[in-house]
Amino acid sequence: MADAKVLIIGGGVAGCSALYHLALRGWTDALLLEMDELTSGSTWHAAGNIPTFSSSRNIIKLQHYSTELYTKLANDPNYPINYHQTGSIRLAQNTSRWQEFQHVHDMANAMGLGYELLSPDQMQERLPFLETHGLVGGLWDPHDGDIDPSQLTQALASAARHMGSTIKRFSRVTKIEADGNGWKVTTPEQAYTCEYLINAAGYRAGEVSELLGQYLPVVSMQHQYLVTESIPELEQHGSLIPLVRDPDDSYYLRQEKTGLILGPYEKQATPNWADGKLPENFAYQLYEDDLERLEWYIEQACERMPILGSVGVQRVINGPIPYTPDGIPNVGPAYGLKNVFHCNSFSFGICQGGGAGKTVAEWVVDGRPEWDMWSMDARRYGHYADQDYVVDRAKELYGREYAIFFPHEEWPGGRPRLTSPLYETLKAKSALFGARGGYERAMYFAIDSDNLGAEHSYGHGPWHDGAKRESLHVAEHAGVLDLCGFAKFELKGAGAKDWLDQQIAGRVPSANRLSLSYFCYTTGGIAAEMTITCINDEHYVLIGGAPARVHDLDWLEKALPENGTLTVTDITDTKSTLVVAGPKSRAVLQPISDASLSNDDFKWLTMQQINVAGHPVMALRVNYIGELGWELHVSNEATLAVYNALFESASSAGIDFRDFGQYAMDSMRLEKGYRAMQAELDHETSPIMAGLDRFVALNKPNDFPGKDSILNDHQNGTALKYVQMQLAETEFDAIYGCTIHNNEIAVGYTTSGGFGFRVGKSLALGYINADLATPGTKLKIGVLGNMVDAEVVEEPLFDSNNEKLRA
Ligand SMILES: Cc1cc2nc3c(=O)[nH]c(=O)nc-3n(C[C@H](O)[C@H](O)[C@H](O)COP(=O)(O)OP(=O)(O)OC[C@H]3O[C@@H](n4cnc5c(N)ncnc54)[C@H](O)[C@@H]3O)c2cc1C
């Protein structure tokens, strides 16, 4: 028997929260090992701010959960914690920021959080020391405040111990080995066996992953805050003042006793130990102060709150704060390792620690968390995410810590990383790229009249004109999209068909056919979406979205039978995908193909191995844009030749054949109502809720994960239901997370939005109360502060009978 069922490495807020939440679930056979004292990593010196604000619905949920948990703990006399819920004001200095606030305000309030939008006068009423020059308004988060991070961690640890869990301090993990079905974890004093392992080693999570033979992209950044001497005005003020964040000037400012804490995120970010090699004995330590780096921010903050400048600085804290390439922590399973989970790399671990502990405990106990936490899944990165990449990305992110994520802004940090064989060719044709799964994919092709210098905003930038040009062109003529990074796996072996049948909710396609397939959790929620193409009963090609590549591979590999009869091979980096589509695509492709592409000979949703310009190609008659077309899967070596041959063929036939980019595809998929993973589809969504009934075979004789739950949804319906909606004329399209209202009551949320150029309408996809999910229902969608009229449409809005696809 193992020494502990679960072993947690790291006694900061994250590890202790994981231990506490496992204990709450009755899993007290758990051991936490800490190399030094509890809290001796990043936790002890954190400023302890606890916001709920986020641009992600589920991160708001997670952070809100933390505030509720901390309130409960702080009210328990057994665990004294200084926790002040002062509320906070975020300041908006410009229109885009104000739009962001209005969006998050709606999103948070649909979840019952009670955010408020404040005018400059209202801000001053709540915080008389605040100067409001140049402010458009502010956002009030009533849950925000600050907590003593050490007391919080000790409270979680004590409560877990009280329930029966064990903590060993001064036990540094130096070796991890597989041990039968579990793990053997060695410290200088002792070795322990366990079934489950949680890496909660904070900024040392990379070191612990290395002990497991894996690289984890995480780097420590220096983050400083200063604490002032006591301020007379605050001494006399009756209560604690609200916390202030100025995202445009990039700092937070809050009361600490009778002084203030000022914490800027400076543009010139400073990574520490950028080579990934950390000093062995750095615990309970800080870096040297460097206030010069903060001068500009201090000046801005003093103008905003003059009492800040009225006293001297009492102390400066400069400590390591972990950053991943997207600034979001890792919480969830580790790729390729049985029962190993991440709960680490938090840049905001104090406010996220409570919810993250709950989440990782659920991963361990239930096999998935209550909320879809894809954004924190460490499998969101691929092999491209190496040390240089994480350092570049972390510098960019830290320097833009509070930046708005505009839907069409492609951040340049750490790029280019992976490129397709067409990269230079497309670049020379003025492609503007964005990274998808690490690959540089053309987003659109600029022309001289595009206003490329325009600042990013929520409105229609030059990308909009590009997407319009390209979608309308493909709809009328034909074009090609280099869909590089599209994840591709080969499944081979005796019994492949039966195995797949037990994995997916739908039917396994027969030879030379393909089908969109869903892999579900036992709850019926969707874990992965892949297009499965049958070569023969012992050979299938599975194709999925680029960002989910490692996740999907892990899902498949962990589900494979242990007897080794089946293999899964990732062939993503060896093959390109060219989407050739549009009404004239057949006329372009036929002259250079050795097979008949007529509708009779090459039907929709079938596959043929053909030669194009003399090169072997797996051609699938399918696409994500809803036009006649083929996906050509071709070896990297032959990609350029096939691409060039397409243009030559089009030119000979007098067809205006052009490149198109991802943004055009995004627009066209909205018109077709094609759902996307991590937008419309996630593990809180069953195929029935998502309106994908036609991809589920409830009457097939065998079981598959989630069958009972999906059957239940099928028979009894779901509370929310997927809908496609069209919006009245609007300056701004809907984005992810807009609240949908019916008679002023929130009844749902959008998962995607954008303009459909073929239908000439602004569109949104999302979920609403099932009783409203019928075509013709009139709704209102809160788009960045504007209530826009919307209507549920009969889906798909574009080419409802798929006549173009079948043409
Ligand atoms: C100046 C500053 C201010 C901050 N302010 C805030 C804030 O206001 N709000 C907020 O939410 N966040 C804030 N943060 C971030 C926050 O401190 C971290 O996100 C959080 O503390 C991370 O907690 P953790 O448990 O993941 O990691 P840590 O606290 O670093 O804990 C990891 C633990 O693992 C142990 N460990 C590592 N390797 C091993 C091993 N091999 N064997 C055994 N044990 C091991 C370490 O000793 C350490 O105790 C701030 C950070 C800094 C630097």
Side-chain angles (χ1 to χ4, degrees):
M1 210 175 102
D3 296 321
K5 200 167 171 78
V6 190
L7 192 146
I8 300 170
I9 303 172
V13 66
C16 292
S17 177
L19 190 74
Y20 168 83
H21 282 92
L22 283 166
L24 281 186
R25 296 293 305 273
W27 283 44
T28 50
D29 185 7
L31 167 67
L32 184 150
L33 298 179
E34 163 55 49
M35 64 182 245
D36 200 276
E37 281 285 5
L38 296 183
T39 77
S40 60
S42 287
T43 297
W44 67 278
H45 53 61
N49 306 331
I50 309 293
T52 58
F53 180 98
S54 168
S55 52
S56 148
R57 283 165 48 83
N58 278 2
I59 293 183
I60 293 180
K61 272 190 211 164
L62 181 140
Q63 294 176 166
H64 184 223
Y65 171 86
S66 293
T67 63
E68 291 187 322
L69 170 68
Y70 301 169
T71 305
K72 200 174 85 189
L73 285 173
N75 285 337
D76 185 335
N78 292 320
Y79 313 118
I81 308 178
N82 287 320
Y83 181 27
H84 314 114
Q85 276 187 295
T86 55
S88 69
I89 306 174
R90 264 169 210 263
L91 313 179
Q93 295 194 25
N94 55 61
T95 311
S96 292
R97 185 66 70 185
W98 188 233
Q99 287 175 313
E100 181 199 32
F101 286 0
Q102 293 182 91
H103 175 66
V104 177
H105 167 265
D106 282 2
M107 190 157 64
N109 284 359
M111 294 186 249
L113 265 72
Y115 278 26
E116 289 174 59
L117 291 163
L118 304 179
S119 68
D121 285 349
Q122 288 170 319
M123 287 191 262
Q124 229 165 16
E125 274 166 32
R126 293 190 194 192
L127 181 46
F129 307 115
L130 186 78
E131 297 294 327
T132 56
H133 54 270
L135 295 182
V136 183
L139 179 64
W140 175 256
D141 170 0
H143 310 276
D144 209 338
D146 66 272
I147 197 162
D148 181 316
S150 296
Q151 288 177 334
L152 165 66
T153 307
Q154 297 293 352
L156 289 163
S158 306
R161 276 200 199 100
H162 195 72
M163 287 185 269
S165 313
T166 310
I167 295 177
K168 293 203 173 180
R169 293 169 302 139
F170 302 100
S171 301
R172 183 180 200 139
V173 174
T174 51
K175 193 171 172 189
I176 306 175
E177 299 155 277
D179 179 57
N181 252 344
W183 298 95
K184 184 173 157 200
V185 173
T186 306
T187 69
E189 298 76 31
Q190 202 177 333
Y192 305 88
T193 54
C194 63
E195 286 177 43
Y196 297 84
L197 197 59
I198 299 178
N199 175 357
Y203 55 81
R204 290 191 188 273
E207 277 182 1
V208 169
S209 283
E210 226 174 285
L211 298 178
L212 286 155
Q214 290 196 342
Y215 172 76
L216 187 73
V218 53
V219 64
S220 294
M221 307 298 289
Q222 292 192 15
H223 178 56
Q224 304 186 80
Y225 63 81
L226 60 87
V227 190
T228 70
E229 293 165 344
S230 186
I231 299 173
E233 286 87 339
L234 292 180
E235 287 163 17
Q236 283 150 26
H237 195 67
S239 55
L240 290 171
I241 61 168
L243 197 151
V244 173
R245 275 191 200 77
D246 188 335
D248 297 311
D249 281 349
S250 195
Y251 62 78
Y252 55 82
L253 183 62
R254 75 158 171 86
Q255 185 164 350
E256 172 70 7
K257 299 201 172 85
T258 50
L260 286 169
I261 276 184
L262 172 67
Y265 289 90
E266 65 273 25
K267 289 199 172 50
Q268 290 304 316
T270 313
N272 233 64
W273 315 313
D275 59 0
K277 309 236 170 315
L278 280 62
E280 206 179 304
N281 295 317
F282 191 94
Y284 264 134
Q285 288 181 55
L286 294 171
Y287 308 128
E288 262 183 41
D289 326 342
D290 184 359
L291 273 188
E292 252 175 53
R293 290 209 309 256
L294 308 187
E295 258 172 31
W296 183 86
Y297 304 87
I298 297 172
E299 279 166 21
Q300 305 313 305
C302 285
E303 279 180 29
R304 191 58 71 201
M305 190 112 89
I307 55 169
L308 173 69
S310 65
V311 293
V313 173
Q314 189 203 73
R315 66 178 197 277
V316 180
I317 301 285
N318 184 6
I321 190 162
Y323 267 74
T324 61
D326 58 10
I328 299 178
N330 298 316
V331 183
Y335 166 73
L337 301 170
K338 192 174 169 205
N339 294 340
V340 177
F341 297 85
H342 292 284
C343 187
N344 56 53
S345 312
F346 292 87
S347 302
F348 298 95
I350 311 304
C351 74
Q352 293 174 344
K358 166 181 157 29
T359 301
V360 76
E362 289 167 347
W363 270 114
V364 171
V365 176
D366 304 324
R368 88 245 137 227
E370 179 187 352
W371 310 310
D372 183 279
M373 276 296 155
W374 164 255
S375 63
M376 295 189 175
D377 195 309
R379 298 168 295 182
R380 65 196 185 275
Y381 303 115
H383 56 85
Y384 60 90
D386 59 16
Q387 191 67 19
D388 288 344
Y389 179 78
V390 64
V391 171
D392 284 354
R393 290 280 296 154
K395 279 182 5 198
E396 179 182 50
L397 274 159
Y398 186 95
R400 300 182 65 187
E401 180 56 60
Y402 293 122
I404 300 172
F405 288 91
F406 292 116
H408 294 87
E409 183 176 1
E410 306 290 339
W411 290 36
R415 296 174 40 208
R417 212 71 206 158
L418 304 176
T419 55
S420 97
L422 299 181
Y423 178 66
E424 292 300 338
T425 308
L426 301 185
K427 199 169 156 190
K429 291 166 97 172
S430 76
L432 296 176
F433 296 92
R436 300 292 182 270
Y439 271 90
E440 291 295 309
R441 196 180 279 176
M443 296 292 116
Y444 71 101
F445 294 78
I447 59 172
D448 288 346
S449 57
D450 287 341
N451 180 15
L452 292 182
E455 263 189 35
H456 289 285
S457 74
Y458 287 109
H460 291 166
W463 56 268
H464 181 83
D465 299 336
K468 179 176 181 181
R469 270 193 308 270
E470 293 166 17
S471 358
L472 294 181
H473 182 87
V474 175
E476 197 180 336
H477 307 276
V480 58
L481 166 70
D482 176 18
L483 204 57
C484 52
F486 216 24
K488 302 171 205 70
F489 312 111
E490 267 188 320
L491 171 72
K492 284 184 178 168
K497 179 177 183 221
D498 290 344
W499 178 79
L500 266 183
D501 209 19
Q502 286 155 20
Q503 302 300 315
I504 61 171
R507 293 198 186 283
V508 180
S510 50
N512 301 323
R513 292 196 62 83
L514 51 113
S515 69
L516 195 56
S517 304
Y518 293 94
F519 295 78
C520 297
Y521 287 94
T522 48
T523 51
I526 298 171
E529 177 194 62
M530 293 182 230
T531 299
I532 299 181
T533 301
C534 178
I535 312 293
N536 60 51
D537 282 358
E538 298 190 352
H539 185 186
Y540 293 84
V541 178
L542 286 66
I543 304 172
R549 174 178 171 185
V550 176
H551 170 275
D552 291 357
L553 181 62
D554 196 42
W555 180 275
L556 294 171
E557 286 176 342
K558 283 180 177 158
L560 284 182
E562 282 179 7
N563 61 15
T565 48
L566 295 180
T567 57
V568 171
T569 313
D570 183 346
I571 54 167
T572 309
D573 292 332
T574 63
K575 298 228 173 196
S576 304
T577 304
L578 298 180
V579 179
V580 181
K584 298 190 179 149
S585 55
R586 182 179 282 124
V588 173
L589 200 49
Q590 184 63 82
I592 50 172
S593 307
D594 66 351
S596 164
L597 304 182
S598 74
N599 213 8
D600 287 341
D601 294 330
F602 203 146
K603 292 198 166 52
W604 185 43
L605 300 180
T606 65
M607 177 280 294
Q608 290 186 34
Q609 310 271 7
I610 63 175
N611 284 304
V612 175
H615 299 280
V617 163
M618 182 177 83
L620 310 183
R621 187 150 167 215
V622 70
N623 62 63
Y624 201 49
I625 67 168
E627 296 287 345
L628 170 69
W630 284 262
E631 250 179 33
L632 306 181
H633 295 266
V634 51
S635 74
N636 281 348
E637 295 73 34
T639 303
L640 184 59
V642 169
Y643 173 85
N644 285 336
L646 289 167
F647 279 88
E648 283 156 23
S649 169
S651 164
S652 309
I655 295 168
D656 189 359
F657 187 71
R658 296 189 193 173
D659 296 285
F660 66 101
Q662 170 86 31
Y663 292 161
M665 182 173 80
D666 289 344
S667 155
M668 292 190 271
R669 75 108 189 158
L670 285 180
E671 295 172 306
K672 287 297 289 178
Y674 291 151
R675 286 65 151 171
M677 272 314 283
Q678 282 82 51
E680 287 69 49
L681 309 179
D682 62 22
H683 89 231
E684 291 179 47
T685 317
S686 79
I688 305 295
M689 178 175 160
L692 296 170
D693 309 42
R694 64 190 182 283
F695 299 102
V696 175
L698 286 168
N699 53 358
K700 68 180 187 180
N702 56 288
D703 273 343
F704 56 86
K707 187 173 184 179
D708 290 346
S709 186
I710 294 172
L711 182 63
N712 183 50
D713 283 358
H714 173 71
Q715 288 169 342
N716 302 318
T718 54
L720 295 175
K721 197 82 191 159
Y722 161 87
V723 283
Q724 187 181 30
M725 293 160 285
Q726 66 182 27
L727 281 67
E729 205 163 311
T730 163
E731 189 183 347
F732 300 99
D733 297 319
I735 57 174
Y736 154 88
C738 294
T739 303
I740 305 172
H741 303 262
N742 180 43
N743 295 330
E744 298 185 14
I745 295 171
V747 293
Y749 53 88
T750 60
T751 44
S752 305
F755 203 85
F757 301 100
R758 293 177 298 189
V759 298
K761 293 248 182 304
S762 185
L763 302 173
L765 310 181
Y767 287 90
I768 59 171
N769 292 350
D771 57 339
L772 296 169
T774 42
T777 302
K778 303 263 193 279
L779 300 158
K780 286 198 189 288
I781 303 184
V783 180
L784 305 161
N786 299 313
M787 278 294 179
V788 180
D789 288 323
E791 183 184 333
V792 177
V793 297
E794 185 94 52
E795 69 141 354
L797 190 58
F798 178 74
D799 189 24
S800 55
N801 294 323
N802 292 327
E803 279 160 15
K804 288 176 187 290
L805 286 161
R806 295 174 204 268

